[in-house]
Amino acid sequence: MSRFDGKVAWVSGASSGIGRGAAERLAAEGATVVLLGRDEDRLAEVAASCGDAAVTAAFDVAVETEVDAHVPGLLEQHGAPDIVVHAAGITVVGALDALTPQEWHRQMDVNLTSLFLLNRHLWPAMVPRGGSIVTLGSTASFAGFPQDAAYVASKGAILAMTKAMALDGGPHGIRVNSVCPGFILTPNLQGYFDAQDDPAGAAAGAGAAAPLGRMGTPADIAGAIAYLASDDASFVTGTSILVDGGLLAKVPTA
C-alpha cells in the first residue's frame, strides 16, 4: 500500500517546475491529484504523467473571481483535499525602487494572495477531516537577494503565514508546514538568470554556491513535500524544511 492511497491532493502551480514535481510524486505514491494552473495544454501533459488519477483545472489562482468561479465546483466533484501544495509562484526581478506598482502587486498576488484565495474555500472543507498543507517558501524566506525585493518580501511573508495557519489548524488536525528550496532548476529560476547581466555566469554561480556543488531539481523538493504531506510527519506543524544543498549553512569566504 502506498502512502497516499485514497488521498486527494490539490497542487497549485502544477503545470511546471516544483508544482509539477510535487504532483507527479504524490500521484506516484497513490494520491488522486487536482492540478491547478493557467496553461491547459501543460496541465494536460502533467496529468498524463500522473496516470489515471489526475484532473486538471486551468485558471489563475491569483485572481479572486477565477478562484471563486472554479474551486467550489471542483470541491463538489472531487472532494475535500487531504493534501494541499501551494506551489504557484513567479519572480519579479528588481530593486524595490525600480518596481512599478503593477509589478509589485503581481508578485504578491501570485506568491502570497493566491494562498489566501484558495484557502478561503479549501480550509473549511478540511476542518472536519484534517489534513496537510505545504507552502513553498525559499532560502529568500531567511536571507535577501539583490535585485529581488518583491520576491524576497513574498517568501518571508509565506513563512510567517505558515506559522499562523499552523496555530489555527492544530485544533482541527490540519498541519501546515513550508518547504524552502534553494536554487532549483525550474523555468522560474531560469527567468531570474536570464534577467541578469551575465545569465550563464549567474547559473554557474548558483550551481557552485551550495556545498553539495549543484543546483537542485524539482524531484529534490518533491521528496520533502511528500514527507510533510504524509503520516510520517504526523507531529510536524508550523515549521519549515530547507532543501538548499547546504546553501544557508555556509558562511561566504570570498
Side-chain angles (χ1 to χ4, degrees):
M1 182 175 180
S2 298
R3 283 195 292 185
F4 303 122
D5 282 350
K7 303 290 187 182
V8 177
W10 290 51
V11 183
S12 72
S15 60
S16 68
I18 291 171
R20 176 173 185 162
E24 291 173 341
R25 176 63 179 267
L26 295 171
E29 294 201 41
T32 296
V33 287
V34 179
L35 309 174
L36 310 180
R38 290 178 295 169
D39 190 313
E40 188 169 356
D41 291 336
R42 288 196 296 172
L43 285 176
E45 181 182 322
V46 178
S49 72
C50 290
D52 295 334
V55 295
T56 64
F59 64 95
D60 192 336
V61 296
V63 176
E64 180 181 358
T65 53
E66 295 195 32
V67 172
D68 290 349
H70 286 86
V71 174
L74 288 168
L75 282 170
E76 185 174 342
Q77 286 179 284
H78 306 293
D82 301 287
I83 300 161
V84 177
V85 180
H86 290 287
I90 61 172
T91 301
V92 175
V93 178
L96 195 62
D97 62 291
L99 298 176
T100 67
Q102 291 78 13
E103 289 171 327
W104 170 267
H105 288 300
R106 184 59 181 165
Q107 178 73 91
M108 293 300 168
D109 286 347
V110 175
N111 286 19
L112 189 62
T113 304
S114 65
L115 277 71
F116 162 70
L117 295 176
L118 288 170
N119 195 64
R120 291 176 61 242
H121 298 280
L122 300 184
W123 187 278
M126 296 177 74
V127 163
R129 55 193 287 147
S132 174
I133 297 173
V134 182
T135 66
L136 264 296
S138 168
T139 48
S141 300
F142 304 91
F145 291 90
Q147 300 295 312
D148 215 14
Y151 179 82
V152 171
S154 72
K155 291 300 183 179
I158 284 172
L159 204 59
M161 187 166 68
T162 297
K163 294 175 183 178
M165 291 172 68
L167 298 181
D168 293 333
H172 307 293
I174 301 174
R175 299 182 298 104
V176 190
N177 295 287
S178 186
V179 173
C180 296
F183 291 115
I184 309 299
L185 194 52
T186 63
N188 190 44
L189 181 61
Q190 187 60 53
Y192 174 77
F193 292 150
D194 291 343
Q196 307 307 308
D197 293 334
D198 179 8
L212 291 183
R214 66 173 176 88
M215 283 188 280
T217 68
D220 292 319
I221 308 306
I225 291 171
Y227 162 68
L228 289 174
S230 76
D231 290 341
D232 293 334
S234 62
F235 200 55
V236 180
T237 195
T239 194
S240 58
I241 297 179
L242 271 168
V243 186
D244 67 348
L247 180 67
L248 291 191
K250 180 181 178 181
V251 175
T253 56

